[in-house]
Amino acid sequence: MSIRLLTHRQYSAPWARICRRITTSASLRRPGTTEESESSSKIDSAEGPEVVESSPVYSKDAIDAAQSVDEGARKGRVGARSEFVNEREPVVVHDMTHPIQMSKWYRVIPESVDFAQVGSSHIPRVPKLGHGLERVLFSPGVHCLQDPHSGVYNFDPYIRNITQPADFDYDKLTPYITSSKDNTLMGYARRHKKKFVGSTSSMTHVLSHLYFVISAGKNPDISSMSMAFADMPSRFTRGMRYPASIALRYHNGVYGIDADKSFDVQDSILSILGKSLEKLLSSTPREFDMYKKENSWKVKDIPEENYHYAEFDDFVLRSQLDCRDDRLPRKTFDLKTRGSLAIRMDLQNYELSKGYQIVSMKGRLQSFEREYYDMIRSAFLKYNFQTRIGNMDGIFVAYHNTARMFGFQYIPRKEMDRVLFGNEYTGDKAFKAVLILLSKLLRTVTDLYPEKDIRVTFDSASSERQQMDIWVEVLNDEAEAVAMQQYPENGFVRAKSPAKKPPPKASASTTTDPFAAATDPLATTDPLASNDAPGENPEEDILADDPIDDYIDPADEIYVNTEQPIFKYTMQTFSTLNNQDTDEPVTVKKKEDQWHINWKLTKSRKSQDDIVSQYRRLRLRQATYFERASPDTPDEELSPMIKILRRISRQNLWRNKPPTGKVVVNRSRLPIHIVTKPTAHASSRGTVEPTTTQAASEVAPTASDRPGKRMNRTKSGKPTTKRPGDHRKKGPQGHKTGGHAQRQASDVLKSAHARSKPEQDDK
C-alpha cells in the first residue's frame, strides 16, 4: 500500500505529515507480492486516492513507528497550529515576556495568576435586602410583586410605585468616584507595585470584547427558553459588540482606567433610577422616605460606599458591594434594576413607553421570559465579570418600567456560567485569560506614550472571528471639550452641511474600508438590535439606518487628536485545549483540563491618513450608537417594533396608577422569630423572650427545628417547642381530650380579638 492511501484511508490529515517523514521502505508496507507493488505505484501516480473495498492491514511495528514519530512531532512543535487552523507552517508559541515583539505568538496560561484581596473587608457594613425580599435569594425563578391572577401582593406594596427622579434627592447619596480619582485605589496600587487600577463599570465592556475573540464567537445557550424563542437569535446583541473605549489617566506611576464618556455625556433614566432603586430595595420604608426631597433635610450624614479591592497581575480592581446575606456562599451579591423592553428600546422617550407591563411568565412580549432572554444576550457577560471582580455570589434583578415594580429574581453566578460558558470551570479560565491579555495589551500601548493620558479603543466586530482591532490615541481634553460643543444637536447622522461635497461612493464588493456603511454589519443607530444580517430578524430592528446626507460625511465632524500619531494594532488568537490546537469555541469539561490562549499582535503599516480615516469612522459608530428617535419623530419614521411597543404602552398606562381601596397582602410567609441566645426575660409559660428579630432562615437551626419536633407559636408571637400530638390538653382523668373543642375555643377567641381592633389596611 502507498503512503498516500494509508494517510487518506486510515489516518486522515493529521497523520499525513507524520507519514511523509517516514521512508517508503517496507517498514510501513504489509508483506505482499510484486503485483501489489505495481498496483501501489499506480495509485501513487494517480491524481487522487482511490476507493478500496477492504481496509488495509498494518503490522504492530508499523503502527508503533508512526506513533513514535507523532510523539516526537508534538514535542518539537509545542503550541503549533494544525492544518484545520489553516496555518501552512508550524507556529512556535513563546512564554509571556515584556516588551512583546510584533507578529510573534505568545501563550496565556490562566492558572498562572490568581486573585488576592487587598485591604480590609467591607462586608460587615454592607446593607441587607428589605421588605421581605430576602426569601427570593433561596427560591429559584421569578417572584411577582403582585400576583397577576388574584392581585394579591407577595411583598410589601410600598415598593410597587417608583419614586420619580424629580422627587428624590440624589445629592444625599454617595457620589460615584472614577478609578483615576480614587485615592484609596491608587494607594493600594502603589503599595503593591501595580501599574493599572480599574473598576467594574470601566472594564467589563473591554473584557467582553476580549472574550469574544478568545471564545471564537461562542454564543450563549438559550436552550432553556420556551418554544416562543425557538427561532430567535442567540448571538450577543449589537449593543455588546459596539466599540469599547477606555481612558488611561496617569498619576504618579499608576494608570487609572476610566470609561470613555465622549459621546455618552448624559445619564439615561435607567442609570438615574438605578441609584434610587438600590436604596429602596436595601432600606426600610421609613429610611427611604428620608431621601425624598420633602424630607431630605433630615439626612445629616452621607454614608460611605462599600468596596471590594483585589489584585490580579498588573491590576488593582475595585467593585462596589450593593447588598449581602450571610447565608449565601460568597455572602455578597449585586443589585440590578432592569428596565422593561419598551423602555430600553426608546430611552429618550421613556414617558411614552412606561405603560408597557409585564403580565406573564412566558412569551415574546410582556413577559419575564423576554426580559431574561434580552438580559442573556445584552448584559449577562458584563454582570458575570462584575461578580467575579467583586467575588460576589450572583445578581438580584428587579424588573420595572420606571413607574412601577413587577417582580424579582435572584440569578447565581453559577447559572450565568452555564448560560455563557457551559460551566463554571470554563468561566474561571476565560475570565483570568482576558484579564491577563488586557494587562499585556495595556503595557504595550502605554510604552508608546509613557506617562501620558491616552484613549484605547477595542473593536472585535469589524474583523474576523478571532481578531480584534486596537486603536491608540493621545488625549487632549481641552480641544476635545471644545469640539464636542460644536457637535450637531440633532445627531451626526441627521446633520446637514450643504457646503461640503459628497464623498465618493464605493461598491460593497470593492471597498477595503471595514468601517464603510455598506460593509459594516454593525452600522446602525440602534444600540439594542441583534447581531443579525439586515432583515434576518425584523423584530429586533429598532431603528432603520438613516440615509446619510448627500452633502456631508459625518465622520469628518468627529474630533480626533492628530497632533500625535494614532496607532492601530490587530490581535489574533487561537486556543490549545489539552495540547490540541483549535479555532472552535472551547468548553472545559473538568477543572484539570488545560486551556491556553495563544495570541499575537501586529502593527498596522498603513499610512497615517488611512489610519486616521478609519479611526474617524470607528468613532462615528460610537457616536451614533447613542442616537435614538427624538420625541418629535413622526410615527411613520419609527420602526414597526417601536410602534407596537408604544401602542401596548398607551393601552396599559392606566395600570401604573396606585391601587385604591383595601390592599391584600400574602402573609403566609411571615418571618419566624427565633431566640438566638437565652436571656433572663422569661414569661410565665416558660418561653424565652426573643432578643433579636430575625427570620428563621437567617440563623442556624435550633433544637426546635430538629426532626420529630415542630415550632408552635403563642398569640404574643413567642415560640414554644412541642412534640406533634402535644397540642391537646389532658382531661380530669389524665387522658388527652380531643382537639375539636380546643379549636372551636381558639376560633372564638380569634374572632373576639379581631372585633376588638379597628380594621386597617396593609401598606
Side-chain angles (χ1 to χ4, degrees):
M1 298 295 290
S2 69
I3 299 300
R4 180 180 300 177
L5 182 60
L6 180 146
T7 56
H8 282 275
R9 178 66 180 172
Q10 182 72 8
Y11 297 99
S12 130
W15 277 67
R17 299 185 303 276
I18 301 171
C19 296
R20 290 193 192 102
R21 302 174 187 177
I22 304 176
T23 59
T24 56
S25 61
S27 60
L28 273 182
R29 296 197 191 110
R30 61 174 180 174
T33 59
T34 307
E35 297 178 357
E36 282 186 327
S37 301
E38 294 176 357
S39 62
S40 176
S41 61
K42 292 180 181 180
I43 295 176
D44 286 334
S45 61
E47 294 181 359
E50 294 184 0
V51 178
V52 294
E53 298 296 333
S54 59
S55 300
V57 179
Y58 306 103
S59 64
K60 184 177 182 299
D61 295 338
I63 296 176
D64 292 342
Q67 289 179 348
S68 63
V69 175
D70 183 22
E71 294 176 358
R74 288 182 182 275
K75 294 179 180 178
R77 51 182 293 273
V78 176
R81 302 177 82 183
S82 306
E83 281 188 356
F84 59 83
V85 198
N86 299 324
E87 191 75 29
R88 295 294 184 267
E89 298 295 334
V91 173
V92 179
V93 179
H94 303 269
D95 294 333
M96 196 70 69
T97 58
H98 185 78
I100 64 171
Q101 300 180 15
M102 295 293 104
S103 303
K104 189 174 182 179
W105 287 98
Y106 293 93
R107 167 161 295 175
V108 171
I109 303 176
E111 296 81 6
S112 61
V113 188
D114 206 350
F115 274 88
Q117 181 176 332
V118 176
S120 58
S121 175
H122 292 183
I123 293 179
R125 68 186 191 193
V126 176
K128 295 184 178 182
L129 284 174
H131 316 286
L133 295 171
E134 65 277 355
R135 68 171 182 259
V136 178
L137 303 174
F138 311 100
S139 182
V142 176
H143 296 252
C144 296
L145 172 62
Q146 185 179 16
D147 179 34
H149 173 65
S150 62
V152 175
Y153 285 86
N154 293 311
F155 302 97
D156 192 345
Y158 177 83
I159 59 179
R160 178 191 186 275
N161 299 309
I162 297 176
T163 303
Q164 296 304 299
D167 301 326
F168 190 87
D169 192 350
Y170 290 91
D171 294 334
K172 299 300 181 181
L173 298 178
T174 307
Y176 176 76
I177 303 176
T178 60
S179 302
S180 60
K181 297 180 181 179
D182 191 337
N183 295 328
T184 303
L185 188 61
M186 286 287 186
Y188 283 142
R190 297 187 184 97
R191 193 179 311 164
H192 294 268
K193 298 181 180 180
K194 303 298 181 182
K195 192 172 183 179
F196 305 101
V197 297
S199 62
T200 54
S201 59
S202 63
M203 295 184 59
T204 49
H205 195 185
V206 173
L207 295 178
S208 299
H209 276 271
L210 290 170
Y211 172 74
F212 296 150
V213 177
I214 70 169
S215 66
K218 186 176 184 178
N219 295 329
D221 181 15
I222 62 171
S223 60
S224 61
M225 312 300 293
S226 67
M227 290 301 296
F229 296 86
D231 59 342
M232 295 286 280
S234 61
R235 305 181 184 94
F236 290 101
T237 60
R238 291 184 180 183
M240 288 288 292
R241 302 300 295 262
Y242 91 99
S245 295
I246 55 176
L248 300 182
R249 306 284 183 180
Y250 181 80
H251 294 284
N252 298 329
V254 179
Y255 288 91
I257 303 175
D258 295 342
D260 181 45
K261 296 289 185 178
S262 301
F263 306 110
D264 187 17
V265 294
Q266 294 182 350
D267 291 335
S268 66
I269 182 62
L270 295 182
S271 61
I272 294 174
L273 279 181
K275 303 173 184 177
S276 58
L277 289 180
E278 287 180 6
K279 190 65 178 179
L280 170 66
L281 298 175
S282 59
S283 60
T284 63
R286 183 177 180 180
E287 293 173 348
F288 183 77
D289 285 339
M290 294 178 60
Y291 287 87
K292 296 180 180 179
K293 287 187 175 180
E294 56 187 11
N295 302 320
S296 60
W297 59 272
K298 299 179 182 179
V299 180
K300 303 301 181 183
D301 299 325
I302 298 178
E304 295 184 11
E305 201 63 78
N306 302 306
Y307 294 114
H308 172 83
Y309 299 97
E311 62 172 323
F312 184 90
D313 203 13
D314 281 338
F315 294 105
V316 174
L317 304 176
R318 184 194 72 186
S319 175
Q320 179 180 335
L321 301 179
D322 293 336
C323 214
R324 72 179 173 95
D325 194 296
D326 296 335
R327 295 164 293 179
L328 293 173
R330 297 182 180 90
K331 297 184 183 300
T332 59
F333 55 93
D334 212 357
L335 290 179
K336 299 297 181 183
T337 54
R338 183 73 175 174
S340 61
L341 172 66
I343 299 297
R344 299 194 309 272
M345 298 286 190
D346 203 7
L347 274 178
Q348 290 187 349
N349 312 297
Y350 75 96
E351 290 286 352
L352 302 175
S353 304
K354 65 192 312 180
Y356 181 89
Q357 308 288 308
I358 302 178
V359 297
S360 61
M361 287 291 175
K362 297 185 180 298
R364 282 202 178 187
L365 291 177
Q366 294 186 276
S367 69
F368 287 104
E369 186 181 31
R370 177 55 188 255
E371 307 303 322
Y372 186 82
Y373 165 78
D374 287 342
M375 194 160 47
I376 287 176
R377 300 177 57 228
S378 64
F380 254 30
L381 191 58
K382 291 183 180 180
Y383 292 169
N384 187 278
F385 288 160
Q386 289 173 3
T387 58
R388 291 181 182 277
I389 292 176
N391 192 30
M392 291 179 280
D393 189 75
I395 59 173
F396 181 92
V397 184
Y399 300 99
H400 67 91
N401 67 352
T402 72
R404 59 168 295 190
M405 202 76 75
F406 295 110
F408 312 95
Q409 183 179 10
Y410 182 70
I411 305 175
R413 185 207 294 180
K414 192 173 183 180
E415 180 178 344
M416 291 188 286
D417 287 341
R418 178 189 60 79
V419 173
L420 293 170
F421 313 113
N423 53 53
E424 188 177 3
Y425 305 132
T426 309
D428 289 338
K429 295 178 184 294
F431 177 62
K432 292 181 178 180
V434 296
L435 273 177
I436 296 175
L437 272 176
L438 181 60
S439 171
K440 306 311 174 187
L441 290 173
L442 294 185
R443 290 192 65 181
T444 301
V445 300
T446 51
D447 289 344
L448 297 173
Y449 298 109
E451 301 183 4
K452 289 187 177 182
D453 296 348
I454 59 178
R455 177 188 288 119
V456 187
T457 304
F458 301 81
D459 181 23
S460 61
S462 299
S463 304
E464 297 180 6
R465 186 175 63 173
Q466 289 186 291
Q467 291 186 5
M468 180 173 65
D469 295 331
I470 304 168
W471 309 78
V472 185
E473 174 194 8
V474 177
L475 286 174
N476 188 338
D477 294 328
E478 296 180 359
E480 186 168 350
V482 173
M484 290 183 64
Q485 295 178 358
Q486 302 175 359
Y487 286 164
E489 296 181 358
N490 57 344
F492 290 95
V493 175
R494 298 179 177 87
K496 296 183 179 181
S497 178
K500 294 186 178 181
K501 296 181 180 181
K505 297 182 179 179
S507 63
S509 58
T510 59
T511 181
T512 59
D513 185 2
F515 300 96
T519 59
D520 185 6
L522 303 182
T524 175
T525 58
D526 167 29
L528 296 166
S530 65
N531 197 23
D532 305 321
E536 183 176 322
N537 185 29
E539 181 177 328
E540 295 262 332
D541 294 337
I542 314 305
L543 293 174
D545 290 340
D546 295 317
I548 298 180
D549 192 89
D550 293 337
Y551 300 98
I552 187 174
D553 183 2
D556 294 338
E557 301 295 322
I558 300 294
Y559 170 78
V560 172
N561 182 17
T562 56
E563 296 178 0
Q564 300 285 346
I566 296 176
F567 293 95
K568 177 187 176 183
Y569 295 90
T570 300
M571 187 182 75
Q572 294 177 277
T573 67
F574 71 93
S575 298
T576 301
L577 179 62
N578 296 331
N579 295 326
Q580 295 292 331
D581 302 330
T582 178
D583 269 356
E584 298 301 319
V586 171
T587 300
V588 177
K589 300 299 182 182
K590 52 186 178 180
K591 188 176 181 179
E592 292 75 18
D593 287 347
Q594 299 294 321
W595 180 23
H596 300 157
I597 308 299
N598 310 290
W599 68 288
K600 73 174 181 179
L601 201 62
T602 305
K603 188 176 180 179
S604 176
R605 297 184 178 180
K606 291 185 177 181
S607 64
Q608 187 64 202
D609 292 340
D610 292 340
I611 293 177
V612 171
S613 176
Q614 291 186 4
Y615 185 57
R616 287 184 187 275
R617 292 191 174 274
L618 174 73
R619 297 286 289 167
L620 175 65
R621 287 170 53 200
Q622 291 180 310
T624 54
Y625 169 79
F626 296 100
E627 289 189 12
R628 297 170 172 87
S630 60
D632 56 351
T633 302
D635 291 344
E636 56 270 13
E637 296 184 12
L638 297 175
S639 69
M641 186 63 176
I642 293 293
K643 294 179 182 179
I644 293 174
L645 296 176
R646 288 188 179 182
R647 183 171 65 249
I648 295 175
S649 176
R650 287 193 297 267
Q651 294 173 352
N652 298 275
L653 188 61
W654 62 274
R655 297 179 181 271
N656 289 337
K657 296 180 180 179
T660 58
K662 187 173 182 178
V663 176
V664 182
V665 182
N666 178 14
R667 298 297 188 185
S668 59
R669 285 189 173 183
L670 281 174
I672 303 175
H673 302 279
I674 295 182
V675 178
T676 58
K677 60 181 180 179
T679 62
H681 305 287
S683 66
S684 59
R685 297 186 181 181
T687 57
V688 181
E689 291 285 344
T691 57
T692 58
T693 304
Q694 291 181 328
S697 54
E698 292 185 21
V699 296
T702 60
S704 59
D705 296 321
R706 296 171 186 167
K709 294 187 178 183
R710 71 179 180 186
M711 176 172 293
N712 296 326
R713 188 181 301 278
T714 64
K715 287 191 175 181
S716 61
K718 303 171 185 177
T720 60
T721 303
K722 297 182 180 180
R723 293 185 180 276
D726 289 348
H727 62 280
R728 293 176 291 173
K729 295 182 179 180
K730 292 185 179 181
Q733 304 297 330
H735 300 286
K736 291 182 179 180
T737 61
H740 179 67
Q742 184 181 1
R743 287 194 296 271
Q744 284 184 339
S746 177
D747 293 340
V748 172
L749 290 175
K750 288 181 180 179
S751 60
H753 181 70
R755 289 193 300 269
S756 64
K757 290 186 177 182
E759 185 172 312
Q760 296 180 355
D761 294 344
D762 292 322
K763 293 185 179 179

